[in-house]
Amino acid sequence: MSSPSRIGNLLLLGQGSDLASERGVSCTGELPKASDPDLVARARAARDILGSEAMILGHHYQRDEVIQFADLRGDSFKLAQAAAERSDSKYIFFCGVHFMAESADILTSPSQRVILPDLAAGCSMADMASANQVSDAWKVMQELGIASKTIPVTYMNSTAAIKSFTGENGGTICTSSNAERAMRWAFEKGEKVFFLPDQHLGRNTAVLKLGLKLEDCVLWNPWKPRGGLSDQEIKSARVILWRGHCSVHGRFSVANVTEVRDRIPGVKVLVHPECQHEVVKGADVVGSTEMIIKTVKEAPSGSSWAVGTELNLVKRLAAENPDKQVYFLDKTVCYCSTMNRIDLPHLVWALESVVAGKVVNEIKVDERVAHHARVALERMLALP
Ligand code: 13P
Ligand code: SF4
């Protein structure tokens, strides 16, 4: 275990890659040892050989040891845009999670190869909506005669199959940076929105951005017959929210907000919209990872921020803004364990494999699924 570090006055356990060996090897070759002192040099050398043929995309939740190699850092919207625009990059190393790499594959040309350095880098929220469950829910809406006036709006954090369902049924994808625009677009096209899979982003957008009432939203529980709702509840809802959530952001509570405000006079609370409704309501600022970074960067020197999002990003914010006090909103630390799967040994392995002429851990979405998923993603990219 690496040595502890601090953010503001919070003691944190280190995120050293010496844990990598314990996480196991989800790759089909010889994974370099995390203790190899030459890992950084090896990554640089392989990156240099690949030159402009390669692009390394890094989500803001990635570890420092990985993000230092990113040609572009971003939130999920910015990374999807980059993948769609960079037709000259033959190899896209996606340092993020599986749904992001799938979206990159869908948005790139067939000759471009998208590589996820560790295939175990999934997203628990995306796994909360399966294609069968969503199709069952849609059948109920069709039977009740409301499907034709219901527009699906699907969060980027979803499998390609759910994106495909969305495109096929006239809907759009959104990210945390454009959920409001996506929902307004959907209400121009229909009377109801079917928002999946993140109930919190859906509720926060509907109520806090569009001014709908909490009672306008119902929660579809995929584990209960007919979503656990009465026909009347489904028919009268304006927004049907899928019962999914992020296990990282779901941890932040109103008690955390109260506690930090009591402890640090003048602190501003800044959270991601995947947090629970009451937490977002109690915060000073809410926004995507990109927006969180911008807010702290542009804040006055000496200001204090309690940030409710993934810990790698909060630690980096603290390091990159030494003139401000940056705290993690919760006292118990929490990384996104799947984002953390991508470490330097996996990145080196993926880069060196390509240098040796072998594309590993390629993410390839079946064209039957990709076709409609692309329609939904392109609708998002074209949102005003
Ligand atoms: P962003 O779209 O803000 O990058 O968030 C993605 C994500 O997975 C948050 O948990
Ligand atoms: Fe998924 Fe949450 Fe991790 Fe984002 S932070 S990738 S939503 S589990």
Side-chain angles (χ1 to χ4, degrees), residues 8 13 15 20 22 114 116 144 176 181 195 267 282 306 330 350 358:
L13 291 177
Q15 54 159 338
E22 295 163 34
V114 177
L116 183 64
L144 294 175
S176 54
R181 267 177 289 158
F195 193 97
V267 72
D330 190 357
K358 189 169 171 222

Side-chain angles (χ1 to χ4, degrees), residues 125-145:
M125 180 201 287
D127 293 340
M128 288 178 193
S130 76
N132 284 343
Q133 289 172 326
V134 173
S135 154
D136 287 348
W138 194 244
K139 276 185 205 139
V140 172
M141 292 181 222
Q142 283 172 325
E143 185 201 302
L144 294 175

Side-chain angles (χ1 to χ4, degrees), residues 13 54 76 115 121 259 289 323:
L13 291 177
S76 51
I115 294 155
E259 187 278 329
T289 51
D323 59 326

Side-chain angles (χ1 to χ4, degrees), residues 1-5 12-19 63 315 335:
M1 181 83 57
S2 54
S3 57
S5 58
L12 305 171
L13 291 177
Q15 54 159 338
S17 55
D18 47 356
L19 290 177
R63 298 157 172 270
K315 285 176 74 174
Y335 293 105

Side-chain angles (χ1 to χ4, degrees), residues 59 61 75-76 99-100 155 157 175-176 249 272 274 288-289:
H59 186 267
Y61 292 165
D75 63 3
S76 51
F99 70 80
M100 297 178 178
Y155 191 27
N157 302 28
T175 69
S176 54
H249 292 90
H272 194 277
E274 285 176 14
S288 73
T289 51

Side-chain angles (χ1 to χ4, degrees), residues 88-307:
D88 52 327
S89 305
K90 191 166 170 200
Y91 305 108
I92 297 176
F93 294 85
F94 211 114
C95 299
V97 285
H98 193 265
F99 70 80
M100 297 178 178
E102 275 189 336
S103 300
D105 176 55
I106 293 165
L107 290 167
T108 48
S109 69
S111 63
Q112 290 176 283
R113 322 279 298 263
V114 177
I115 294 155
L116 183 64
D118 185 340
L119 292 178
C123 164
S124 52
M125 180 201 287
D127 293 340
M128 288 178 193
S130 76
N132 284 343
Q133 289 172 326
V134 173
S135 154
D136 287 348
W138 194 244
K139 276 185 205 139
V140 172
M141 292 181 222
Q142 283 172 325
E143 185 201 302
L144 294 175
I146 60 163
S148 57
K149 49 188 173 190
T150 301
I151 309 297
V153 177
T154 294
Y155 191 27
M156 184 67 115
N157 302 28
S158 55
T159 62
I162 308 301
K163 291 186 176 77
S164 182
F165 155 85
T166 306
E168 196 169 3
N169 292 288
T172 185
I173 307 304
C174 74
T175 69
S176 54
S177 61
N178 58 21
E180 178 182 352
R181 267 177 289 158
M183 210 182 260
R184 287 191 191 283
W185 172 90
F187 274 121
E188 281 163 20
K189 295 192 69 192
E191 291 170 24
K192 293 172 186 288
V193 165
F194 181 27
F195 193 97
L196 58 169
D198 185 12
Q199 58 168 303
H200 300 303
L201 178 65
R203 188 179 293 108
N204 290 329
T205 307
V207 176
L208 301 174
K209 300 286 184 184
L210 270 70
L212 297 183
K213 297 195 196 72
L214 275 176
E215 309 80 78
D216 292 326
C217 308
V218 291
L219 194 58
W220 183 280
N221 183 343
W223 299 103
K224 289 195 172 165
R226 298 175 84 78
L229 297 166
S230 70
D231 290 355
Q232 194 45 46
E233 282 173 318
I234 301 169
K235 279 184 181 172
S236 53
R238 301 286 316 280
V239 182
I240 299 164
L241 301 167
W242 192 263
R243 195 168 180 269
H245 69 276
C246 164
S247 42
V248 177
H249 292 90
R251 293 167 56 100
F252 299 114
S253 65
V254 175
N256 294 148
V257 177
T258 313
E259 187 278 329
V260 84
R261 287 200 196 282
D262 286 348
R263 185 160 49 87
I264 308 162
V267 72
K268 293 253 190 266
V269 176
L270 170 57
V271 300
H272 194 277
E274 285 176 14
C275 293
Q276 300 175 57
H277 185 62
E278 294 304 317
V279 173
V280 171
K281 248 174 65 179
D284 298 290
V285 188
V286 54
S288 73
T289 51
E290 197 73 23
M291 204 284 214
I292 288 173
I293 294 168
K294 188 169 182 285
T295 303
V296 175
K297 194 171 164 211
E298 292 175 0
S301 254
S303 55
S304 302
W305 294 88
V307 187

Side-chain angles (χ1 to χ4, degrees), residues 9-116:
N9 61 357
L10 300 180
L11 186 68
L12 305 171
L13 291 177
Q15 54 159 338
S17 55
D18 47 356
L19 290 177
S21 53
E22 295 163 34
R23 282 194 301 271
V25 281
S26 56
C27 67
T28 51
E30 193 61 32
L31 195 70
K33 287 218 174 350
S35 55
D36 181 342
D38 295 332
L39 279 182
V40 169
R42 283 172 66 175
R44 260 193 214 123
R47 178 69 195 85
D48 287 350
I49 292 170
L50 293 172
S52 61
E53 286 214 305
M55 174 167 67
I56 303 180
L57 297 178
H59 186 267
H60 292 307
Y61 292 165
Q62 289 291 296
R63 298 157 172 270
D64 286 343
E65 69 190 38
V66 168
I67 206 84
Q68 63 177 321
F69 290 103
D71 298 306
L72 183 86
R73 298 179 188 189
D75 63 3
S76 51
F77 181 74
K78 195 164 156 186
L79 298 178
Q81 252 183 341
E85 284 164 7
R86 282 287 299 269
S87 54
D88 52 327
S89 305
K90 191 166 170 200
Y91 305 108
I92 297 176
F93 294 85
F94 211 114
C95 299
V97 285
H98 193 265
F99 70 80
M100 297 178 178
E102 275 189 336
S103 300
D105 176 55
I106 293 165
L107 290 167
T108 48
S109 69
S111 63
Q112 290 176 283
R113 322 279 298 263
V114 177
I115 294 155
L116 183 64

